[in-house]
Amino acid sequence: GKGFAIGSACLVGLALFGAFVPRLDDMGAGDMRVDLLDPITFAGLLIGAMLPYWFSALTMKSVGKAANAMVIEIKRQFDANPNLLIPNHPDRPDYDTCIKISTDASLEEMIAPGALVMLTPVVCGVVFGTRAVTGLLAGGIASGIQMAISSSNTGGAFDNAKKYISKGAMDALIGKLEPNCISNGRVNTKSSQIFKAAVVGDTVGDPLKDTSGPALNILMKLMAIISVVFAELFMAINGGRGLIGPYIRDTSVVIMPQAMFDLPEVAAAGPVSIFAIFVGGAVLGMGALMAGQRAMAPPASMVKSVALKEPLLVARAEGAGSTPMMGVRSAYSPAAF
């Protein structure tokens, strides 16, 4: 099912991309061609190729923040009413608060990824023109489909690994490497470091295959349809050349591959066109840096208020230290294999 959805999203994005170029021709762009050797188009290509990774980092971090807020609320309820831990006790948890946390997070945390997808084609077309938008769409589709396939396959592998270990397929290896997990001749799979490592992997795999992967299908289609809708606006700004159009020399001559190292031909693109490539590379680097910093930053709920003294639903190795909400520091090493 996921493969079909990814393939259909790619084809829809490609069809909309194919509709965007003729629409520009109908509005007076002339014989519009997508030339990746054009500096403006190549700059848009760099930005478009970066967007799926930035978008995936935002959605993955959003899942972590929502889950962290949920765990803190559950721990608060258990601390306030220990009777909730007693099976079949008449006291009931406060389900409404948990539902509110999940609902609020699902809406608030999608503001930034949604704005990234919807505003990027508009800003790119208004500032850099239609050539940059064609590069943006090409880069977004090519990079997005690869990222979507990778996310779905990687997340599925993490999930299946935990299921494979849970059903006892690695009990013999667990008994050999961790004799303390054997009780009354049976291997306690869920107390082993191997299973706890698989749980950590599944914690990453689930948002990969269920959030970031499927959401990239929307990224490919939404960027293309927004470009088609706003094509008239793009053409109204300096004939489709964007706000920087008056500062760029018209390059009607296409630089052929054999002439790429002919400096006079390259110089005909003008310094502003070359600067556009620099801007594209800078945006690519800054986007990757911001995504990395966001992924590594602690959740806001941890920074602002409560850090759990005994993390709930977080596996802990016996005798190994761990910091609140930061997972497990395990003595198990893959080198033991």
Side-chain angles (χ1 to χ4, degrees), residues 13-337:
L14 185 61
L16 292 171
F17 182 27
F20 175 66
V21 176
R23 181 169 169 79
L24 296 178
D25 291 340
D26 294 340
M27 289 185 292
D31 185 14
M32 185 70 183
R33 293 182 300 169
V34 180
D35 178 21
L36 296 182
L37 296 180
D38 177 72
I40 302 296
T41 305
F42 187 74
L45 183 72
L46 292 178
I47 298 174
M50 173 268 296
L51 286 181
Y53 295 91
W54 192 352
F55 182 83
S56 296
L58 291 174
T59 53
M60 287 284 291
K61 189 63 178 177
S62 297
V63 172
K65 291 173 64 177
N68 181 67
M70 185 73 72
V71 170
I72 289 177
E73 171 59 24
I74 294 172
K75 179 64 166 59
R76 184 196 66 79
Q77 293 190 26
F78 285 161
D79 291 341
N81 186 5
N83 292 333
L84 297 176
L85 296 171
I86 302 176
N88 301 321
H89 195 276
D91 290 352
R92 308 304 298 168
D94 183 7
Y95 296 113
D96 292 342
T97 302
C98 295
I99 294 173
K100 184 177 186 301
I101 290 174
S102 179
T103 305
D104 290 347
S106 65
L107 297 175
E108 294 174 3
E109 294 297 330
M110 280 309 297
I111 294 176
L116 177 68
V117 174
M118 292 187 289
L119 294 181
T120 301
V122 177
V123 174
C124 193
V126 169
V127 177
F128 297 105
T130 56
R131 290 182 296 169
V133 177
T134 58
L136 179 78
L137 296 180
I141 293 173
S143 179
I145 188 172
Q146 301 299 328
M147 189 67 181
I149 294 173
S150 175
S151 297
S152 297
N153 289 342
T154 303
F158 276 126
D159 185 41
N160 291 334
K162 193 199 76 168
K163 294 178 181 177
Y164 179 77
I165 297 172
S166 297
K167 70 178 184 179
M170 297 186 67
D171 282 356
L173 181 62
I174 292 173
K176 180 181 178 180
L177 297 178
E178 303 180 52
N180 59 311
C181 294
I182 301 177
S183 177
N184 298 326
R186 295 176 59 87
V187 176
N188 187 359
T189 305
K190 294 188 177 181
S191 66
S192 68
Q193 299 302 315
I194 293 178
F195 179 78
K196 292 174 183 178
V199 170
V200 174
D202 186 52
T203 304
V204 177
D206 279 340
L208 261 180
K209 69 182 179 66
D210 296 329
T211 302
S212 295
L216 287 172
N217 300 336
I218 308 301
L219 178 142
M220 290 185 280
K221 294 184 285 188
L222 190 56
M223 284 202 309
I225 191 64
I226 287 178
S227 299
V228 173
V229 171
F230 285 91
E232 188 172 355
L233 171 64
F234 301 156
M235 288 300 301
I237 302 176
N238 293 320
R241 297 169 60 193
L243 295 178
I244 66 172
Y247 307 101
I248 299 179
R249 184 179 303 174
D250 187 14
T251 56
S252 58
V253 179
V254 177
I255 303 175
M256 301 305 294
Q258 62 268 23
M260 286 186 66
F261 296 100
D262 187 358
L263 294 181
E265 291 290 337
V266 176
V272 179
S273 298
I274 303 301
F275 176 72
I277 297 182
F278 172 78
V279 171
V283 171
L284 178 67
M286 291 299 295
L289 179 62
M290 292 174 63
Q293 289 177 344
R294 179 173 170 82
M296 295 299 295
S301 53
M302 180 193 305
V303 175
K304 291 181 180 179
S305 56
V306 185
L308 300 181
K309 296 181 180 179
E310 292 295 332
L312 200 65
L313 306 178
V314 177
R316 297 189 61 178
E318 293 183 2
S322 99
T323 55
M325 299 306 300
M326 294 303 290
V328 180
R329 181 177 300 168
S330 173
Y332 171 75
S333 171
F337 288 100

